[in-house]
């Protein structure tokens, strides 16, 4: 059955060295989009190394005629997730028709049947909903709600102490639910954005390289009157960390990448001021130290990545609070910006 979707659906995917994952996920997306009268997908390659972008372009070309149109958009630089989505946003604005909603989909995420239709249903039933996110499934079949409260000083401190009685006072996640529920923000793994919200907010902040950009976007949306909703019956499979190596705010091996710390600092400094960001950073450092101490006293190891406290102090508490926007980075001789 074709789903009545008004102006249709457009999907934006940003890839960096993830051509294999994107090409594996596209058939399921094409099947889901076939239920809409109008649909189109833009796949942005962020100047991937090792000819990965060329492999992605060839794979997309081979899918021509298999369903709704897929357009490959090569970016000259690796400007990050927000900058890559902004490339897709520019293409969307230039389309002959405008969609009812835009789905941002991670390159390592695969939609389950009916997921986009369910997110759109929830959006249509809630006129104030500017963003709708799905339940996220892990490859082993387990799932998580993917809906959160906005970051705060209390949450950053209480959440690091390792004491449930305090962590419950400022939860970062909202309670699990079997029915659609409102949240401050929903995971950027897959998020449906109402077109009116997109028109109100414009581009994402490309000063974020990776992480916190969708939180910032939904915070700006909330300040403009747009709500975020979680649709638990919509499901997306996510190979968490496959594209970045970062999972649940930590890394599988080694040290946290510099861009995670920069994103954390940018979010707090931009939205709450430099003083609040510094105070929150110092509070988090103290909480991490105390949390690790109480764990050691109980014979438990630290959940932190290698060198975490030292990196957090150097890259956040006593460092510049934000990287320049990508438009400035693009003018750096040699071009581009790579995560370190």
């Amino acid at each position: 059955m074709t789903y009545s979707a008004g102006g249709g659906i457009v999907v934006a995917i940003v890839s960096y060295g993830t051509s294999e994952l994107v090409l594996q996920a596209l058939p399921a997306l094409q099947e889901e989009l076939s239920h809409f009268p109008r649909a189109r997908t833009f796949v942005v390659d962020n100047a991937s190394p090792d000819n990965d972008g060329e492999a992605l372009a060839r794979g997309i070309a081979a899918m021509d005629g298999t369903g709704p149109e897929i357009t490959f958009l090569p970016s000259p630089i690796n400007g990050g997730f927000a900058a890559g989505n902004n490339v897709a946003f520019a293409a969307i604005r230039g389309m002959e028709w405008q969609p009812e909603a835009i789905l941002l989909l991670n390159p390592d995420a695969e939609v389950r049947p009916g997921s986009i239709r369910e997110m759109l249903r929830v959006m249509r039933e809630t006129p104030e909903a500017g963003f709708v996110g799905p339940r996220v499934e892990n490859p082993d079949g387990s799932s998580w709600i993917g809906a959160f409260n906005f970051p705060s000083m209390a949450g950053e401190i209480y959440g690091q102490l390792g004491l449930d009685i305090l962590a419950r006072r400022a939860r970062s996640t909202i309670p699990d639910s079997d029915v659609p529920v409102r949240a401050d923000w929903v995971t950027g793994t897959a998020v449906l954005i109402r077109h009116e919200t997109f028109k109100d907010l414009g581009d994402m902040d490309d000063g974020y390289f990776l992480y916190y950009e969708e939180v910032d976007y939904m915070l700006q949306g909330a300040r403009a009157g747009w709500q975020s909703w979680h649709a638990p019956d919509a499901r997306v499979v996510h190979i968490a960390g496959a594209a970045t190596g970062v999972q649940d705010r930590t890394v599988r091996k080694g040290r946290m990448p510099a861009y995670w710390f920069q994103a954390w600092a940018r979010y707090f400094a931009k939205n709450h001021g430099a003083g609040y960001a510094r105070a929150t950073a110092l509070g988090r450092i103290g909480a991490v130290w105390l949390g690790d101490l109480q764990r050691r006293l109980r014979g438990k190891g630290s959940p932190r990545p290698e060198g975490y406290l030292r990196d957090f102090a150097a890259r956040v508490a006593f460092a510049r609070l934000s990287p320049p926007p990508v438009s400035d980075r693009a003018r750096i001789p040699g071009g581009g910006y790579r995560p370190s």
Side-chain angles (χ1 to χ4, degrees):
M1 181 181 73
T2 299
Y3 193 78
S4 176
I9 297 293
V10 171
V11 181
I13 300 172
V14 178
S15 176
Y16 179 77
T18 52
S19 63
E20 185 174 347
L21 292 169
V22 173
L23 294 173
Q24 286 176 0
L26 279 177
L29 178 63
Q30 289 289 80
E31 166 57 26
E32 176 68 4
L33 292 179
S34 70
H35 295 273
F36 293 85
R38 279 184 165 183
R40 186 173 181 181
T41 297
F42 290 99
V43 180
V44 179
D45 178 71
N46 263 359
S48 295
D50 304 323
N51 299 317
D52 193 74
E54 289 82 349
L56 183 56
R58 287 194 301 272
I60 290 173
M63 296 183 68
D64 187 34
T66 62
E69 181 179 359
I70 306 173
T71 302
F72 176 77
L73 297 174
S75 171
I77 63 168
N78 178 21
F81 181 74
N85 275 311
N86 289 343
V87 172
F89 287 175
I92 292 169
R93 294 189 189 98
M95 290 171 52
E96 292 182 354
W97 57 275
Q98 289 299 291
E100 180 174 356
I102 300 162
L103 177 70
L104 305 188
L105 186 66
N106 271 16
D108 50 1
E110 181 175 321
V111 297
R112 292 290 197 196
S115 56
I116 302 176
R117 285 167 279 175
E118 173 62 12
M119 284 189 280
L120 187 60
R121 184 191 69 78
V122 173
M123 181 171 283
R124 284 178 168 178
E125 289 187 351
T126 314
E128 300 83 6
F131 309 91
V132 178
R135 179 177 290 278
V136 180
E137 293 183 344
N138 300 311
D140 64 5
S142 60
S143 67
W144 47 287
I145 189 169
F148 309 90
N149 297 313
F150 284 129
S152 66
M153 181 186 293
E156 292 297 309
I157 294 174
Y158 292 163
Q160 301 302 318
L161 291 170
L163 300 173
D164 290 342
I165 191 172
L166 291 177
R168 285 196 293 270
R169 296 174 64 89
R171 288 184 180 276
S172 60
T173 57
I174 67 170
D176 204 348
S177 174
D178 292 328
V179 297
V181 60
R182 187 179 173 185
D184 281 350
W185 66 280
V186 292
T187 174
T189 299
V191 56
L192 194 68
I193 305 172
R194 187 187 297 272
H195 189 257
E196 287 83 356
T197 308
F198 167 68
K199 288 195 298 183
D200 279 355
L201 299 181
D203 283 349
M204 300 181 82
D205 182 352
D206 60 10
Y208 295 94
F209 182 78
L210 195 60
Y211 295 102
Y212 285 93
E213 63 281 274
E214 82 274 40
V215 192
D216 182 280
Y217 202 60
M218 285 176 237
L219 177 59
Q220 308 318 315
R223 288 172 173 173
W226 293 108
Q227 300 174 358
S228 295
W229 280 74
H230 171 65
D233 288 339
R235 293 174 179 262
V236 170
V237 180
H238 183 216
I239 309 174
T244 64
V246 178
Q247 182 177 13
D248 293 336
R249 296 189 178 190
T250 188
V251 290
R252 293 173 174 170
K253 184 179 180 181
R255 303 171 80 144
M256 289 287 281
Y259 57 76
W260 185 90
F261 297 102
Q262 291 164 343
W264 187 100
R266 184 178 186 86
Y267 176 84
F268 278 95
K270 173 184 175 181
N271 293 301
H272 301 289
Y276 184 97
R278 298 275 187 207
T280 304
L282 292 172
R284 182 180 173 110
I285 288 172
V288 167
W289 186 85
L290 289 171
D292 285 355
L293 175 62
Q294 64 91 4
R295 288 187 182 88
R296 283 197 298 272
L297 292 174
R298 292 190 294 157
K300 297 183 177 180
S302 171
R304 326 291 176 192
E306 176 186 346
Y308 180 82
L309 264 184
R310 184 168 61 253
D311 287 345
F312 197 91
R315 296 184 183 279
V316 178
F318 306 109
R320 180 180 179 181
L321 287 176
S322 177
V326 72
S327 53
D328 291 342
R329 294 201 298 264
R331 290 195 288 271
I332 296 172
Y337 174 86
R338 286 184 179 279
S340 55

